[in-house]
Amino acid sequence: MKLKMNYKLATKCLYSDKEGTSCDKSGAISFPIYQSATFAHPGVGNSTGYDYSRLQNPTREHLEDIVCSLESGYDALAFSSGMAAISALMEIFSPGDHIISGNDLYGGSIRLFDNINHKNQITFDYIDTGNDDIESYITPSTKAIYVETPTNPMMNVTDIVKVAAIAKKHNLLFIVDNTFLSPYFQNPLVLGADIVIHSGTKFLGGHNDTLAGFLVVNSAELSEKLRFIIKTIGSGLAPFDSWLILRGIKTLSIRMERQQKNAIKIVAWLQTNEKVKNVYYPGLPDHPGYEISKKQSRGFGSMLTFEVETSDLALKILSSVQLIHFAESLGGVETLITYPMTQTHADLSQEKREETGITPTILRLSVGIEDIDDLIYDLSQAF
């Protein structure tokens, strides 16, 4: 008889701590890709536990078990992209509902809120959730508080425990996008959040080769609501993509440690560069969120943003990097540099960008696993 183990995070990246998840009896080390749209029934009223892959598929289920384990959740649901996950989540709200949201979010989230969800008569207040008085924005229609921490791209930090207490006091859902730190460095559910969001495309996948999204919840009630939504709208992650994310998660712990180590060295180099005006990284002792980050996270991650002297210099760097890729996305093994003005936050008005500090001199860096000397040399020659 096998004993159930209480695995550490690095081990959970390889094995779900849920017993009986494998459908395969061959002894295969790599979990199989069940590339099947439908499943046969032994008879009327009898089922193997799987009916149709829109509802559930063994490969997706195994992936969900691992992500749920990593976040210490009740249930996890895997979607075809991060935006598909957020879109499905918004379906638990009704016309007239109000959501308090962070004002420094991924531009795609704001685009969804301001267009699709606004059309469906859901309203939003965008505030600085790390500093503003959240309770002053709560109304009888408020149903949730939605934050990213650290934020994209300005790396602002919100105190998860503090906001969780406010949400609980007012009977609100507390939603945290945990993409930037991944479950390896931060677990919002443990700190009091109700729902955690991940763009699985990023650190969980880690190889810039597929799209995925996740919702991890802390209760049976939320699980039931979202399971109904995912089977109804049909945005579940496909078997092969589920397998790619499974493969990526196996090296999550190693990648996160190496990427963070590289990021810390790049931050130090940027601070010595006279052409760099500001560096935004929660691991800097003078960062406003440094103490909170130390309290609620196990690491500072590998995302950083920096501001250069002029917009011309920013454009020169983007066109001059050779090893580093000028591209959207983040969290992969390759280092990527992004220009939020024209990429991740292009759909925001100039006024909204300026409110959060996104100017033509701002660059975002997702640090990969390359040799640090090569990365710094490339940045140096690009400057």
Side-chain angles (χ1 to χ4, degrees), residues 117-364:
N117 301 137
H118 180 74
K119 172 179 65 70
N120 295 335
Q121 299 176 43
I122 299 171
T123 60
F124 295 82
D125 270 321
Y126 296 103
I127 69 171
D128 179 353
T129 53
N131 294 295
D132 288 347
D133 179 8
I134 293 176
E135 288 188 278
S136 68
Y137 290 87
I138 296 173
T139 74
S141 300
T142 306
K143 295 296 187 291
I145 303 170
Y146 183 110
V147 307
E148 287 179 11
T149 183
T151 61
N152 182 1
M154 299 309 295
M155 307 304 296
N156 296 310
V157 174
T158 293
D159 188 328
I160 296 174
V161 172
K162 179 180 176 181
V163 178
I166 294 171
K168 185 175 182 180
K169 176 183 175 183
H170 295 276
N171 196 30
L172 306 176
L173 284 176
F174 182 29
I175 304 161
V176 179
D177 187 325
N178 195 31
T179 297
F180 266 26
L181 286 183
S182 90
Y184 183 73
F185 280 143
Q186 182 170 267
N187 297 119
L189 295 182
V190 176
L191 299 169
D194 299 297
I195 302 171
V196 165
I197 299 168
H198 285 284
S199 173
T201 311
K202 312 305 193 293
F203 288 104
L204 291 175
H207 292 80
N208 291 316
D209 56 9
T210 193
L211 303 178
F214 294 92
L215 297 177
V216 191
V217 299
N218 69 349
S219 70
E221 180 185 4
L222 286 169
S223 171
E224 184 178 353
K225 286 181 180 179
L226 289 165
R227 286 282 168 199
F228 178 81
I229 290 168
I230 195 173
K231 79 173 183 180
T232 302
I233 65 177
S235 54
L237 191 61
F240 182 66
D241 294 309
S242 296
W243 183 84
L244 285 172
I245 302 295
L246 275 170
R247 185 178 65 167
I249 290 176
K250 288 184 178 184
T251 59
L252 178 66
S253 63
I254 299 170
R255 289 186 284 105
M256 295 301 292
E257 294 287 357
R258 173 59 179 263
Q259 287 170 266
Q260 177 177 249
K261 184 179 178 181
N262 279 351
I264 290 170
K265 291 182 178 179
I266 289 175
V267 165
W269 181 84
L270 288 169
Q271 288 185 299
T272 66
N273 191 317
E274 61 183 15
K275 296 179 181 179
V276 175
K277 294 174 62 178
N278 290 295
V279 181
Y280 305 94
Y281 182 67
L284 288 171
D286 61 353
H287 187 285
Y290 177 72
E291 293 298 332
I292 295 171
S293 293
K294 286 202 304 180
K295 179 181 70 172
Q296 67 188 20
S297 308
R298 292 177 294 274
F300 302 109
S302 58
M303 297 300 302
L304 63 100
T305 294
F306 62 98
E307 181 183 11
V308 295
E309 288 180 325
T310 66
S311 58
D312 286 343
L313 177 57
L315 297 177
K316 177 181 182 293
I317 292 168
L318 292 170
S319 62
S320 300
V321 287
Q322 297 176 9
L323 175 65
I324 297 168
H325 301 277
F326 172 28
E328 291 196 53
S329 200
L330 59 99
V333 292
E334 299 90 359
T335 297
L336 305 180
I337 191 166
T338 299
Y339 196 43
M341 279 284 297
T342 62
Q343 292 180 303
T344 56
H345 292 71
D347 288 333
L348 271 63
S349 67
Q350 182 176 341
E351 180 183 5
K352 280 192 174 183
R353 286 195 298 263
E354 289 178 351
E355 282 178 3
T356 54
I358 303 172
T359 68
T361 58
I362 287 289
L363 297 168
R364 192 192 73 186

